[in-house]
Each structure stands twice: as structure tokens, then as C-alpha cells.
Amino acid sequence: MDSSTTSTPAPRLSRRARAAAAGTALCAVAALAACSSSSSGTASGSGGSGSGGGSKVGVSLILKTLTNPYFVSMENDAKTAAAKDNVNLTVAAGNKDGDTQSQISAIDNAISRGDKGILITTNGDAVNAALNQAKQAGLFVIALDTAPNPPSVADITYATDNTQAGKLDGQYAAAALGGKPAVIAMLDLFNNQVVSVDIDRDHGFLEGMGINPGSTTQNAQEAKTGTYTGGGSYTIACHQPTQGAIDGGRTAMENCLSANPNINVVYAINEPAAEGAYNALKAAGKQSQVAVYAIDGSCSGLKLVGTGEFTADAVQYPGKMAALGVDSIAKLARGGSKPSVTQGKSFFDTGTALVATKSYPGVTIQSPTDAASACWGS
């Protein structure tokens, strides 16, 4: 899961100026993000049957960055799918999180090449106009991981149900507490801007514990004391921003412990924030007294569940999002039907599961060993 950020819209250049700058913009910082690359495969059969038949189909995969293993997993699985589906895949990425200009240039390049579709994890609303131009030019746009704002900018979104991921952690936390008092630290993404993944995961965790979030659009609006599922009392000790980073998680946890040293439950927006929180708890000598809950499902995160740093981790499948996206555009380009959303949802749900080492009644888990077969990263 990538904890998506919003960004201030970048100034739009003319199409000619953007096209002229595209190559330079995408390759400017090779050490930080990958330049555009292509991957193509040979059709497994002749004719138009199946997604791999017929002539090659051009697809662009445009990622936030290629420094995050989450997006590297998308690239790797998209390339595998491209080889299977006889797709000419062009990969581009921003130089850093929030770099919309590089993404805009990549969108313009996709239009100029005559690609049939775009898969994108957007760096901000500034890319919306370019994506709308791509759709007008006949390209099918699939958002990956997080829906754009508004969602209609993409033809469809392939993503994890982030609310459900949070709920799985919260349900497990309530079951593990078994009615004991809960003193909860909420380690969010931001406290100065609203991002859907931040709201969804935070609210999902609270709802999983049986706590009303108190708002559909903001964090930290729940009652600060009350009763969670199972009859135990709860206290919300803090809401702290982490920026989804290890350093941010550590600072947030230190601030929370200063506010209330009796914290025994930590919700973290993602694995890096959870890892930073654990480091702060260990420095304070409290790591054995506190349950840390994460969301992501990377291979390294699952190892931390196995060794006890994380109590549970709600897993996501970023590679699956990208592979399904490549397959969908290939099929559509060869006369197939448009992909549809999961019934009852506004997006195509690529699934989530909970990984933990100890089971409790009413909560379904996977072991770290079983979940490792589908994890991402190293």
C-alpha cells in the first residue's frame, strides 16, 4: 500500500513544451527513479484469441517513483504480464513522491506513441487534465492503488480496500485485548491534509475495534474514551502524523509516549511508520508491552510479524494490481469488454488478508510463512 500524498498542482506547460522536455524530465535523476523503459513479449499463440494474440499493444505504466519496493513490485509484475500478453510496456516514474510534471510528460508520450492504455499511481491532482486528454485520445486509463480525485478521472481503479485492511487489524486488536483496557496511539499519514488512504485505514482500524470514527471525511473525530468490541474500555492517547516514514513513525511514537506512557496498542498507517514506532518503543523499554499493527504486506514486513516486532500486518498485492491492469488493457484493445468494478464497490478490489502468528476466535489469519508466497519487496 502506498500511503498516497496530495500535492500542489504543478504549472501546466504547452503540449509542445512538455513533449520536448519529456525525455530529460524522466531521466533527470537516475539514482532516484527509473527512466522510461520498455518490455515486450512474444505472443503465445496466433490469431486474436486470448489477451496474448494479435499485434502488440502499447501500454504505459506510470508510477509515483521507483525507489519504493511497492512500486518496484508493480513494475516487475507488469513486465511479466506484458510478456504473456504480447504488450509493449513503457515504464516511467516521478523522480520523487509528488513529482507530477514527470508523470504529465509520460502521459503526453503515451498519447504521442498511440498507446492503448495507461496504468498510473498518480502523484497528485495536477495530472488530471493530462489524463483526461489521454481518455479523449482513446486511451483507457486505469488507476492503481488509489483512486484519483475525482475517481472519474480514471476509467477504473484497481486497489486494495483500505478500509477493510484497517478493519482486519482492528478486529484482531479487539480480540487480542480480550476485554482489557486499550490505550491506543493512532499513527496517521498527515494532520494537515486529507488523503483517502489515510482516512480509510484510520477509520477502518477504529471500526474494526467497534469504535465510531465520528466523521466520514476527517481523522481524530472519534470519542476519545469509550468501550470497544468485547466490552473493554478504550482511550485514544494521540493522533500523530508520520508521513508514512520510519523517522516519522519514531517521532510520532515518542510524542505519543510523552502524552501517555501507558499506551498498549499502536495503529500505524503503513509498515515504515510501524517500524519507526517499534524503534521508539524499544528505546523506551516498552516493546514487549505494546501491540503494533501495520498495513502493507511486504516480505520484510512479514518477517517483522514472525519475529514479533509487528503483532499483525494487513497485506496488499501491488503486483497483482499492475498485472491485472496490463491484462485488461490488452484484452480491451483486442476487442474484449471493459473491466468492471467489484460488486458493491466503486473500484476493482484486488484483495487483502491479515498476517499474524497467534489466532483468536472469529478472526481469520495467515501465518507469515504462508503469506510469504505472495509478498512483495525483499
Side-chain angles (χ1 to χ4, degrees):
M1 136 339 283
D2 167 64
S3 302
S4 302
T5 62
T6 56
S7 60
T8 302
R12 296 300 306 274
L13 303 175
S14 68
R15 180 176 297 279
R16 179 175 297 175
R18 290 199 305 271
T24 301
L26 288 175
C27 299
V29 189
L32 296 178
C35 300
S36 295
S37 62
S38 294
S39 173
S40 59
T42 302
S44 56
S46 59
S49 61
S51 58
S55 59
K56 276 187 170 58
V57 171
V59 176
S60 283
L61 174 65
I62 304 172
L63 300 168
K64 285 179 178 289
T65 72
L66 281 174
T67 58
N68 186 327
Y70 192 87
F71 301 122
V72 173
S73 174
M74 286 188 175
E75 179 190 24
N76 291 340
D77 284 21
K79 286 181 175 179
T80 299
K84 173 178 68 73
D85 292 339
N86 197 19
V87 162
N88 187 49
L89 182 71
T90 301
V91 180
N95 293 319
K96 60 182 180 180
D97 199 359
D99 176 10
T100 55
Q101 192 57 55
S102 291
Q103 291 194 320
I104 290 169
S105 296
I107 294 166
D108 283 344
N109 289 342
I111 296 171
S112 298
R113 273 193 306 272
D115 285 351
K116 297 299 183 182
I118 289 172
L119 310 172
I120 186 168
T121 58
T122 75
N123 267 327
D125 296 351
V127 305
N128 289 0
L131 287 176
N132 283 328
Q133 289 173 358
K135 289 167 65 178
Q136 291 168 8
L139 282 75
F140 193 78
V141 175
I142 298 178
L144 303 178
D145 185 57
T146 304
N149 178 34
S152 58
V153 170
D155 289 295
I156 192 171
T157 296
Y158 284 6
T160 293
D161 186 333
N162 282 303
T163 300
Q164 179 62 16
K167 281 183 179 178
L168 292 176
D169 270 343
Q171 290 166 353
Y172 190 93
L177 284 162
K180 296 178 182 177
V183 183
I184 306 169
M186 301 293 293
L187 305 190
D188 297 315
L189 185 60
F190 296 124
N191 64 355
N192 60 353
Q193 56 183 300
V194 175
V195 179
S196 62
V197 67
D198 195 12
I199 303 298
D200 292 346
R201 292 182 177 189
D202 175 299
H203 290 192
F205 181 83
L206 292 172
E207 290 170 359
M209 288 199 69
I211 300 170
N212 187 337
S215 169
T216 59
T217 58
Q218 297 181 62
N219 288 339
Q221 300 303 303
E222 72 281 347
K224 296 304 179 279
T225 58
T227 303
Y228 68 85
T229 299
S233 64
Y234 78 83
T235 300
I236 303 296
C238 60
H239 274 270
Q240 283 284 312
T242 66
Q243 288 77 46
I246 293 176
D247 289 346
R250 178 166 185 147
T251 299
M253 192 72 247
E254 289 170 345
N255 291 339
C256 288
L257 288 173
S258 294
N260 191 325
N262 298 317
I263 290 166
N264 60 354
V265 174
V266 174
Y267 151 80
I269 178 69
N270 62 5
E271 287 175 352
E275 188 173 348
Y278 180 83
N279 292 342
L281 291 166
K282 186 175 182 180
K286 294 178 177 290
Q287 72 274 19
S288 63
Q289 306 163 31
V290 183
V292 177
Y293 294 91
I295 300 175
D296 268 346
S298 73
C299 299
S300 59
L302 299 188
K303 291 176 184 176
L304 294 178
V305 175
T307 55
E309 282 89 338
F310 296 167
T311 302
D313 192 2
V315 304
Q316 298 185 310
Y317 310 103
K320 181 178 179 181
M321 300 173 196
L324 287 174
V326 169
D327 192 53
S328 294
I329 293 174
K331 288 179 178 177
L332 181 61
R334 297 183 176 113
S337 59
K338 291 182 178 180
S340 57
V341 300
T342 300
Q343 186 174 0
K345 300 184 179 183
S346 61
F347 58 96
F348 185 94
D349 186 358
T350 52
T352 187
L354 188 71
V355 176
T357 58
K358 186 175 181 179
S359 60
Y360 292 94
V363 183
T364 301
I365 66 168
Q366 293 181 356
S367 71
T369 300
D370 289 341
S373 62
C375 69
W376 48 271
S378 57

